Amino acid sequence: MTQFIEKMYKMFPWVNVNTGLLFLRIGVGIIFVTTGYMKVSDMPATVGYFASLGFSAFWAYLVGVVELLGGITILLGVGIYTRVSAKLLSIIMLVAMYLLRSNFEMEMTPLLMFFVTFAIICTGPGKYSVLREKSA
C-alpha cells in the first residue's frame, strides 16, 4: 500500500500540502465572500436580522465587512493578514454556533467553518498565496 501511495505522489507531484491549502482557501474564501456580499448588499435586511438577535447595527456592519474582506484575504492568501482574517472569522463562527445551539442541524455550518478557519490559523496561507509570510 505504501508503494502505491508513493507511486501516486510521483505521478501527480502537484498533490501536496500547499495545494491542499490552496483548495481549502479557495472554498472558504468563496463562501465568506458570498455571505459577506449578501450581508453588505442588503444592509437593511442584515441590520433587521441582527436586531432580531439582539445585536446593534454596528455588529451587522462589522460582520458583513469582516466576512467580505476576510473572505477576499483568505481567498488570495495575503500573507499574515490571512491568519488575522481567519481569527476574526473564527470568532464570528463561534458566536454563530452559540446563537444556533438550539438547532443542531443549523449549527453544523458554523461548526465546520470554525474548524476550517482554525486550520488556516494554524497553517497560514501556504506556498500558493499572493504574499507569503516571512519565516521566523
Side-chain angles (χ1 to χ4, degrees):
M1 185 66 165
T2 309
Q3 292 174 345
F4 173 75
I5 293 171
E6 289 176 13
K7 194 177 201 181
M8 292 301 291
Y9 279 123
K10 288 179 184 174
M11 287 176 57
F12 303 103
W14 55 270
V15 176
N16 57 45
V17 172
N18 289 308
T19 306
L21 285 173
L22 174 65
F23 277 91
L24 185 71
R25 282 193 357 256
I26 289 172
V28 171
I30 288 172
I31 290 169
F32 279 118
V33 167
T34 303
T35 58
Y37 178 76
M38 288 168 38
K39 285 177 178 71
V40 171
S41 65
D42 191 10
M43 199 45 85
T46 303
V47 169
Y49 178 70
F50 273 66
S52 73
L53 297 173
F55 292 101
S56 67
F58 167 78
W59 294 108
Y61 283 97
L62 183 68
V63 168
V65 169
V66 167
E67 284 188 7
L68 181 62
L69 296 179
I72 292 169
T73 304
I74 287 176
L75 181 65
L76 297 176
V78 186
I80 189 70
Y81 301 110
T82 303
R83 288 182 195 236
V84 172
S85 297
K87 287 175 186 175
L88 294 172
L89 292 168
S90 66
I91 292 168
I92 292 170
M93 292 301 102
L94 283 173
V95 173
M97 284 189 302
Y98 177 77
L99 293 173
L100 296 171
R101 69 191 181 280
S102 61
N103 187 343
F104 182 73
E105 293 155 353
M106 291 292 291
E107 189 181 21
M108 289 297 102
T109 302
L111 179 66
L112 172 66
M113 297 307 287
F114 169 76
F115 281 110
V116 171
T117 54
F118 190 78
I120 293 172
I121 293 167
C122 293
T123 61
K127 180 180 176 183
Y128 307 121
S129 58
V130 173
L131 294 175
R132 293 191 193 160
E133 293 180 346
K134 293 182 181 180
S135 300

